[in-house]
Amino acid sequence: MENEVVSRNFIENEIDKDLAEGVYDTVHTRFPPEPNGYLHIGHAKSILLNYGLARKYHGKFNMRFDDTNPTKEKTEYVDAIKRDIRWLGADWEDRLFFASDYFDQMYEAAVKLIRKGKAYVCDLTADEIREYRGTLKEPGRNSPYRERSVEENLALFEDMKNGRYGDGEKVLRAKIDMASPNMNMRDPVIYRVAHMPHHNTGDRWCIYPMYDFAHPIEDAIEGITHSICTLEFEDHRPLYDWVVRELEYPHPPRQIEFAKLYLTNVVTGKRYIKKLVEDGVVDGWDDPRLVSIAALRRRGFTPESIQMFVDLCGVAKGQSSVDYAMLEYCIREDLKMKRSRMMAVLHPLKLIIDNYPEGQVEYLDAANNLENEALGSRKIPFCKELYIEREDFMEEPPKKYFRLFPGNEVRLMHAYFVKCESFVKDENGQVVEVHCTYDPQTKAGSGFSGRKVKGTIHWVPAPYAVDAQVRLYENLIDEEKGVYNEDGSMNLNPDSLVTVNAKLEPALKDGKAYDSYQFVRNGFFCVDAKDSREDALVFNRIVSLKSSFRLPK
Ligand code: ATP
Ligand code: MG
């Protein structure tokens, strides 16, 4: 252990300091999503960070839905979010909470502020409030309602709660400082009237707390010590601290901000994903081209690969953007040793072995993963008619092309050497059959050392092949142009999904939802959980292998 490299993120340094100074004697974190969409890779970072810290310090991790805004929230999202977090492996044990369960306490907290002379009911309209707020250069002006008496404020606030006022007619504001250089401190609104049913509390409330007021209360009620959020809340921290101080919580939580995770040329914002879903550009929130957690799972990513990715990204204060290629690297690394390496032909071309006896079948042994014996082996039927990849044959090969072309010999993986003797074209000039002869002495594993070949290609036995639809994905965004146009629309890549009818080796016929494999030379693939059927398999390409030779266009 002595040589172990311990890399600590800045949040851990802050926590260490707090523990050393006795500010806290435990660590209690939370993940507080708003149930207004599905979670994405950025949220995964926040989840694994918060959960990881709780584990590391033998503390606790809470799951809390921040459902204080009834307009956009849905039960569908609540269920999806829980499923995604469980899948990632973050365990909230019995601590699943809803901010809306605290509405009574939040109401009481607001009353407490009014009693202390720290909050008032204001009749200004939203536009007027904005106007009175001033600018970054100029101080704001006090609302004419700022000096209402405690009694009047209590009565008005109660009337707000009792439905006496319409939406926007009155708000409750914290009484802080209209001249504060921090705009968030210029008497922020903390409660508003909204006659709207709530997914959890139904019609019970017609006033709802604002995020900046609700969040610190939620944290304080749950005994959160370190309330970790993203950078855009840094300017809100003084308000967070003001709320917990004025409400006199005995163990005030502490807010710490870190930079959001951004992926280059990838749509992460919930709002934008929602738009793609609503516009029907993608097949739901779990379309494998998205980076929602549901989409990554459907595409075939593993929780381990996402953890690895998050660890590689690190936790920083400075905004930066990570390349999608890093996520691809992580899933490749994770699956490399864990998955069987099978043969599947994505663009089939018939190969006929002229000197192989008609009707004969041999069952060849193939190790599932040469680097991991534990994965065992399988038998592959070998016979006269096979499929190979269309790009593994060329009539007129360029230099350094070592695959099949007239007169050339290659190894068929796990099988024999075959030499190309001739080929057949259809009326359009498209090659439809390649004819070869095989050399029986060259069987894989036989120790044959008579001569060498430079190319090894994969194949599938034609009569035993399993048909499957294989979906090949590219970035949803046209990388040349960037994510958004000036008018806010997205630069979509028209080729982000290409579907091919592939031929698979027979061992793949029992693939179940989420099963994944390496298809040699073609990448890692996963059985699609939504569309795959026993008699009509559908695979998603998770990621290709490292770059390979491409046919010149
Ligand atoms: P989006 O901006 O995608 O709509 P959000 O911030 O509105 O997301 P919330 O449900 O409010 O989504 O977020 C829950 C938690 O996840 C918050 O603590 C938020 O800071 C964190 N989070 C959201 N996006 C990212 C991201 N890209 N990287 C890291 N953490 C994030
Ligand atoms: Mg949000």
Side-chain angles (χ1 to χ4, degrees):
M1 294 302 276
E2 251 172 64
N3 296 327
E4 192 189 14
V5 182
V6 187
S7 84
R8 310 181 70 72
N9 64 52
F10 80 94
I11 297 180
E12 289 167 358
N13 292 335
E14 291 298 312
I15 292 176
D16 289 344
K17 214 168 89 204
D18 286 343
L19 294 174
E21 290 170 1
V23 181
Y24 301 109
D25 51 18
T26 176
V27 171
H28 200 150
T29 59
R30 87 288 174 258
F31 178 67
E34 215 188 320
N36 62 355
Y38 281 57
L39 300 180
H40 54 64
I41 184 79
H43 296 112
K45 175 168 184 171
S46 175
I47 293 160
L48 295 172
L49 172 64
N50 278 293
Y51 179 63
L53 288 170
R55 294 237 351 199
K56 184 160 195 165
Y57 290 92
H58 308 289
K60 288 181 179 150
F61 166 77
N62 288 7
M63 171 66 213
R64 181 206 311 147
F65 284 100
D66 213 329
D67 56 353
T68 53
N69 179 359
T71 41
K72 294 176 281 176
E73 295 160 1
K74 279 207 248 161
T75 314
E76 177 202 345
Y77 297 138
V78 170
D79 296 337
I81 289 171
K82 284 201 278 192
R83 187 164 61 236
D84 290 345
I85 298 176
R86 264 200 212 103
W87 178 76
L88 278 177
D91 184 3
W92 59 81
E93 298 172 346
D94 58 352
R95 291 177 306 280
L96 169 65
F97 302 110
F98 288 83
S100 55
D101 288 339
Y102 310 139
F103 279 165
D104 284 302
Q105 282 142 290
M106 291 176 190
Y107 181 80
E108 286 311 317
V111 168
K112 178 169 180 159
L113 289 184
I114 295 175
R115 289 223 164 86
K116 290 178 75 173
K118 299 285 184 173
Y120 62 97
V121 173
C122 182
D123 301 3
L124 294 180
T125 64
D127 285 341
E128 287 166 335
I129 289 178
R130 206 170 305 122
E131 198 189 308
Y132 273 74
R133 192 179 292 133
T135 63
L136 283 173
K137 294 196 189 89
E138 282 172 38
R141 283 175 293 142
N142 286 350
S143 159
Y145 305 98
R146 201 174 198 261
E147 300 310 327
R148 277 177 165 153
S149 69
V150 169
E151 287 66 35
E152 192 184 358
N153 281 318
L154 286 173
L156 289 171
F157 188 50
E158 195 170 346
D159 285 344
M160 278 170 65
K161 180 184 77 159
N162 291 335
R164 283 270 307 268
Y165 304 108
D167 294 4
E169 217 177 306
K170 282 189 168 37
V171 292
L172 185 71
R173 299 176 68 176
K175 194 172 184 175
I176 308 179
D177 179 6
M178 288 307 291
S180 170
N182 183 334
M183 303 289 277
N184 296 304
M185 300 298 272
R186 295 187 186 174
D187 291 10
V189 173
I190 58 176
Y191 253 99
R192 65 191 173 118
V193 177
H195 291 268
M196 241 176 267
H198 185 279
H199 78 106
N200 193 23
T201 57
D203 290 327
R204 241 198 91 205
W205 295 90
C206 63
I207 55 171
Y208 292 97
M210 303 302 286
Y211 181 89
D212 281 342
F213 177 65
H215 205 81
I217 296 177
E218 295 156 24
D219 286 339
I221 289 173
E222 292 177 15
I224 300 304
T225 54
H226 297 85
S227 176
I228 297 163
C229 64
T230 41
L231 229 46
E232 71 272 25
F233 290 101
E234 194 166 26
D235 289 345
H236 298 240
R237 192 186 336 131
L239 179 52
Y240 184 101
D241 290 340
W242 184 91
V243 171
V244 292
R245 192 171 61 245
E246 291 301 336
L247 291 173
E248 300 162 57
Y249 287 108
H251 303 289
R254 169 182 177 196
Q255 175 179 307
I256 300 178
E257 310 86 16
F258 73 101
K260 269 195 175 179
L261 170 66
Y262 287 104
L263 287 175
T264 315
N265 289 322
V266 173
V267 188
T268 45
K270 237 188 257 175
R271 231 167 327 135
Y272 295 100
I273 295 183
K274 196 181 231 162
K275 182 151 176 16
L276 291 170
V277 173
E278 283 166 0
D279 292 353
V281 174
V282 295
D283 165 35
W285 285 90
D286 59 356
D287 184 292
R289 288 166 292 179
L290 297 172
V291 289
S292 64
I293 296 175
L296 292 168
R297 177 172 59 231
R298 181 173 165 200
R299 180 139 174 193
F301 279 77
T302 57
E304 292 82 359
S305 65
I306 294 175
Q307 178 79 58
M308 188 194 303
F309 175 69
V310 163
D311 290 343
L312 278 178
C313 288
V315 182
K317 229 13 197 185
Q319 209 72 257
S320 70
S321 185
V322 179
D323 204 349
Y324 186 80
M326 193 154 112
L327 190 55
E328 294 189 319
Y329 167 82
C330 294
I331 187 65
R332 258 189 226 110
E333 282 299 301
D334 186 47
L335 297 182
K336 201 165 66 183
M337 307 292 282
K338 288 187 189 168
R339 296 295 183 263
S340 294
R341 300 174 183 178
M342 315 295 277
M343 296 199 288
V345 172
L346 302 187
H347 300 98
L349 172 63
K350 205 44 120 24
L351 181 145
I352 296 161
I353 305 171
D354 293 329
N355 64 339
Y356 197 86
E358 192 88 45
Q360 179 172 309
V361 193
E362 283 175 76
Y363 287 86
L364 304 174
D365 276 313
N368 286 333
N369 186 327
L370 280 176
E371 294 176 75
N372 180 2
E373 269 185 28
L375 291 178
S377 66
R378 66 190 185 283
K379 299 268 188 202
I380 312 170
F382 182 80
C383 55
K384 189 179 179 76
E385 294 202 3
L386 314 174
Y387 289 111
I388 60 167
E389 292 293 347
R390 192 157 274 287
E391 63 165 28
D392 285 341
F393 171 80
M394 286 187 92
E395 188 180 345
E396 288 169 31
K399 264 194 193 151
K400 298 207 174 159
Y401 185 86
F402 300 120
R403 293 174 263 167
L404 277 177
F405 53 88
N408 194 41
E409 191 173 44
V410 299
R411 171 173 287 293
L412 291 175
M413 199 176 282
H414 304 300
Y416 297 94
F417 286 7
V418 288
K419 185 173 170 195
C420 176
E421 307 288 354
S422 62
F423 57 92
V424 178
K425 283 182 176 177
D426 65 10
E427 64 273 23
N428 304 316
Q430 158 119 273
V431 177
V432 289
E433 274 178 15
V434 175
H435 285 260
C436 292
T437 49
Y438 88 116
D439 178 351
Q441 290 184 77
T442 58
K443 187 169 180 172
S446 69
F448 173 77
S449 59
R451 61 186 183 278
K452 288 206 160 30
V453 287
K454 281 197 170 154
T456 298
I457 65 174
H458 64 279
W459 53 277
V460 165
Y464 304 91
V466 176
D467 288 302
Q469 192 192 93
V470 173
R471 297 173 179 170
L472 306 173
Y473 298 103
E474 274 182 34
N475 203 330
L476 193 57
I477 295 298
D478 185 332
E479 299 181 35
E480 305 277 298
K481 298 188 188 147
V483 183
Y484 307 109
N485 292 312
E486 267 176 25
D487 64 0
S489 61
M490 281 174 260
N491 279 312
L492 298 172
N493 170 8
D495 300 322
S496 59
L497 168 60
V498 171
T499 300
V500 297
N501 294 314
K503 300 281 184 186
L504 317 180
E505 66 166 282
L508 286 163
K509 78 171 188 311
D510 299 321
K512 301 275 177 301
Y514 302 112
D515 285 353
S516 60
Y517 309 87
Q518 181 181 138
F519 289 174
V520 289
R521 301 173 64 220
N522 280 318
F524 289 97
F525 293 77
C526 177
V527 178
D528 188 74
K530 212 158 156 181
D531 299 332
S532 196
R533 304 279 171 273
E534 212 170 300
D535 54 351
L537 289 172
V538 179
F539 280 84
N540 298 313
R541 176 148 70 189
I542 309 168
V543 66
S544 55
L545 301 172
K546 286 252 167 64
S547 63
S548 61
F549 178 85
R550 294 265 147 69
L551 284 174
K553 284 210 172 129

